[in-house]
Amino acid sequence: MASTAPMTRESIPSPEYARLEERIVARDQKGASDVLYGLFKQHRPAIEILRETVRIHAPFTHVPYHQRLDDGIVKFVNNDHCLLSERVGLPLMSMVRPELAWLPLAQTVWYMPTGLDPWNQLLGKAPGHYTRLYEIAVHQEPPTPEIHWPDQEPLRTDGPIGERLNHWLTLVQRGEVLPSYRVFLGLMEDVPHRREALAHLAFAGLIDVQDRMLHNRSYTTGHKSYRARATIDLGNAIGWEHAHSVLYAGVPDIAVGPRWYSTYEMGGNVVQSLLDARDAELLKQTTALTPAEEAMLVEVITRGREINVIEAIVALLKSGAAPRRILDAIQVAAAQVILETGDVNNYSMSQHGYEYCNTLGWFYDTFQHPHRLKLLFVAASFIQHAAEHQRDTPNNLGRRTLTPPPGVSGRSATQLLAKLEAALLALEADESVALTAAYLASGHDRAPLVQTLASAAVEVGNDPHNQELGLSLLEDYAKTRAHDRDRLLLAQAKHTAGHRKYGDHLECYRRFAEAMGGIAR
């Protein structure tokens, strides 16, 4: 539940957190991690560490625009991965092996010095994750990270809550970054309507999705919805009375351009014209999909055209199917797109497509927002375009039959899981999928398998946004009612072993293990 206490500004940090801030802003990965390990050993609360790390990076992880046009070439300016990774730190603590409980947060802080000010990284003025990603040479000492959007004071508005939310979203659509941020801060001070404001924050992120993919490098990939979710989950966990920095880290970016709403417009028009604007009525439907209906929808999404996807979902809704159960099937389709991904550089669309479906599932389960039915069509369109993108991109796999790896017949659960984790950390994607399939077919307890997959996703590092993607599939496996739910576990293994890695993908894990008592294998 969201806190009902008034919001306050954070107090002056303690000496330990001042030192952590110094090392992060100096872009010192090893130094920042050493300070963090000291905090772990002092048994400082996870919530306290999260609150302080958000405060440290919040001013420096914004960009003035998510696109550059230099010398006639459009370039995508990346989104913040620090906040996204912090969100998953808490649930992952209880999902991984106990000795790895602090590793998700360690991965976040290891990355954080490289994630500051991506705008100037792309200009070659500072080292970091994005200069490494795009192989940009940096020939100067890094300056202090730039604050592109200064923090603001609340602006309180009058009128019914619906009118005030519409006003805020209009400012977002117009790209009025600081005015929209100030208005949202004012909305959050209206405690009785805080939950409605948070729902609209998530909605504003979910409607912002590009409408094409092939041969594009500049797109939102749903990142604004992931940032909004991280803002909401972290604020709820920390307590809104102590979460001003969380809002500063997450809210201004919702209005940063470019903004794409055409896919959501399609969803709105479909509901209006083909479903007679019966959002409220259709959202109450509870009928599950049959196995045949689920398989049909997965096939249409992964092999059909957008018009086929729209028609299939409209028909299911008209027949009484529950929108949330349709979303379960869309998630299975998204998992299938991950399984059909080949080259390590080809994961962007498949992994972000799945995360969008995961975020929309969280939105359905968290808020009773009146327009969530329209987003069902956005998610399905996203995955249909992702499947099409993968089919038209070289070095992807397409459909393949899973065959058990040699020598696994008759192996115990412990032996299979040991081989699986070794394959995951060795980045053997196909073998990881095959071993996961063999474990599932063996009938062994699923809980140790989920723990192994979660642990491997956290052990693999250097861009902790990817541990968030691994968690997304495991979260949905735990709550989906899809008939083919095992496909989510197969896709999780494929993604953890297969997605693009940066630098030494086990460096943070080894440093953490050494600092915390030599737990590395």
Side-chain angles (χ1 to χ4, degrees):
M1 294 295 291
S3 169
T4 58
M7 301 190 67
T8 60
R9 297 293 173 123
E10 285 77 3
S11 58
I12 297 173
S14 67
E16 296 97 330
Y17 288 112
R19 178 64 175 166
L20 181 63
E21 181 173 5
E22 175 195 345
R23 292 297 85 209
I24 289 173
V25 174
R27 297 179 171 87
D28 179 2
Q29 283 185 287
K30 296 175 184 177
S33 292
D34 287 341
V35 176
L36 182 70
Y37 301 150
L39 293 168
F40 291 163
K41 291 174 181 178
Q42 294 174 29
H43 305 289
R44 303 296 278 268
I47 294 296
E48 175 189 282
I49 296 174
L50 282 171
R51 184 183 69 238
E52 292 297 323
T53 53
V54 174
R55 177 190 61 78
I56 290 166
H57 76 71
F60 307 120
T61 46
H62 293 291
V63 298
Y65 207 69
H66 284 296
Q67 197 179 75
R68 292 187 59 84
L69 183 57
D70 298 323
D71 302 319
I73 301 298
V74 177
K75 297 178 181 178
F76 176 52
V77 180
N78 293 64
N79 297 270
D80 170 38
H81 289 181
C82 300
L83 196 71
L84 309 189
S85 178
E86 282 165 314
R87 177 190 77 80
V88 303
L90 290 176
L92 280 171
M93 287 183 78
S94 61
M95 294 180 69
V96 300
R97 296 194 307 275
E99 68 271 20
L100 300 179
W102 287 107
L103 182 56
L105 189 50
Q107 290 283 12
T108 300
V109 173
W110 174 256
Y111 169 85
M112 203 171 288
T114 75
L116 306 182
D117 195 3
W119 184 264
N120 279 313
Q121 289 187 39
L122 292 176
L123 293 175
K125 294 181 179 179
H129 177 67
Y130 302 109
T131 56
R132 175 177 59 187
L133 175 63
Y134 296 110
E135 299 180 350
I136 299 171
V138 180
H139 302 295
Q140 65 182 77
E141 287 296 316
T144 300
E146 186 172 351
I147 299 173
H148 296 285
W149 300 108
D151 203 358
Q152 300 291 306
E153 294 295 327
L155 178 62
R156 298 166 187 83
T157 52
D158 297 322
I161 185 61
E163 291 181 7
R164 288 185 282 147
L165 292 174
N166 283 339
H167 172 60
W168 171 74
L169 190 53
T170 298
L171 292 173
V172 168
Q173 291 172 293
R174 288 166 50 182
E176 301 280 355
V177 177
L178 294 182
S180 67
Y181 175 42
R182 293 189 65 203
V183 168
F184 195 83
L185 290 176
L187 288 166
M188 288 296 289
E189 290 191 341
D190 181 3
V191 174
H193 294 112
R194 185 176 286 173
R195 187 170 179 80
E196 293 161 86
L198 293 172
H200 223 48
L201 176 68
F203 174 70
L206 284 160
I207 66 176
D208 193 343
V209 177
Q210 78 283 354
D211 56 4
R212 57 164 291 110
M213 296 181 189
L214 191 63
H215 294 301
N216 274 43
R217 289 297 301 274
S218 180
Y219 27 53
T220 70
T221 55
H223 256 272
K224 290 183 181 178
S225 65
Y226 316 149
R227 198 161 183 164
R229 178 188 181 175
T231 301
I232 295 165
D233 281 355
L234 285 168
N236 284 335
I238 293 170
W240 288 109
E241 63 273 22
H242 302 298
H244 176 81
S245 290
V246 175
L247 293 174
Y248 182 24
V251 174
D253 189 69
I254 301 297
V256 171
R259 293 164 302 282
W260 286 279
Y261 300 121
S262 58
T263 305
Y264 176 74
E265 180 187 1
M266 174 274 292
N269 286 336
V270 167
V271 173
Q272 185 77 21
S273 61
L274 301 182
L275 294 168
D276 304 319
R278 294 184 292 124
D279 300 61
E281 176 187 342
L282 296 171
L283 284 166
K284 293 177 182 178
Q285 295 180 169
T286 58
T287 302
L289 272 62
T290 66
E293 288 172 331
E294 179 182 303
M296 174 277 296
L297 186 56
V298 171
E299 177 74 11
V300 169
I301 291 172
T302 56
R303 296 293 179 268
R305 297 166 55 223
E306 188 175 44
I307 183 61
N308 307 131
V309 175
I310 292 170
E311 290 173 341
I313 294 176
V314 167
L316 287 170
L317 289 168
K318 286 184 174 180
S319 71
R324 186 63 181 88
R325 306 285 71 86
I326 293 174
L327 181 53
D328 286 344
I330 297 172
Q331 289 176 342
V332 172
Q336 179 61 31
V337 177
I338 292 175
L339 288 168
E340 295 182 13
T341 302
D343 187 80
V344 296
N345 293 318
N346 290 350
Y347 277 80
S348 182
M349 291 301 96
S350 57
Q351 68 182 23
H352 286 101
Y354 191 89
E355 186 170 10
Y356 184 88
C357 293
N358 168 262
T359 305
L360 183 56
W362 163 84
F363 185 65
Y364 263 75
D365 298 339
T366 306
F367 298 110
Q368 297 295 308
H369 195 280
H371 300 301
R372 61 193 187 279
L373 183 71
K374 302 175 179 70
L375 293 165
L376 204 61
F377 293 92
V378 179
S381 175
F382 196 152
I383 304 309
Q384 186 272 327
H385 281 291
E388 188 175 59
H389 176 278
Q390 300 301 76
R391 289 199 303 273
D392 294 338
T393 300
N395 303 318
N396 282 315
L397 301 175
R399 285 181 177 169
R400 296 193 304 168
T401 301
L402 292 176
T403 56
V408 301
S409 178
R411 293 287 184 99
S412 69
T414 300
Q415 290 171 326
L416 281 173
L417 292 177
K419 285 183 66 67
L420 171 59
E421 184 159 16
L424 289 164
L425 300 189
L427 311 185
E428 296 170 348
D430 289 344
E431 184 171 354
S432 296
V433 174
L435 285 165
T436 302
Y439 188 95
L440 291 167
S442 72
H444 294 308
D445 181 13
R446 304 290 179 93
L449 173 62
V450 170
Q451 184 183 70
T452 298
L453 292 170
S455 298
V458 173
E459 290 169 297
V460 171
N462 265 308
D463 182 356
H465 178 33
N466 290 307
Q467 71 181 7
E468 179 200 16
L469 287 153
L471 174 67
S472 295
L473 286 143
L474 298 179
E475 280 182 331
D476 290 329
Y477 175 77
K479 62 185 179 183
T480 185
R481 298 184 196 171
H483 302 281
D484 195 8
R485 65 196 292 256
D486 287 353
R487 195 160 300 269
L488 306 188
L489 297 181
L490 299 173
Q492 202 276 358
K494 177 65 181 287
H495 178 265
T496 293
H499 73 259
R500 185 177 179 180
K501 311 301 189 295
Y502 305 94
D504 180 351
H505 67 285
L506 296 178
E507 182 175 0
C508 177
Y509 167 54
R510 285 195 296 267
R511 289 183 178 277
F512 169 83
E514 181 180 1
M516 301 303 290
I519 61 175
R521 299 183 190 284

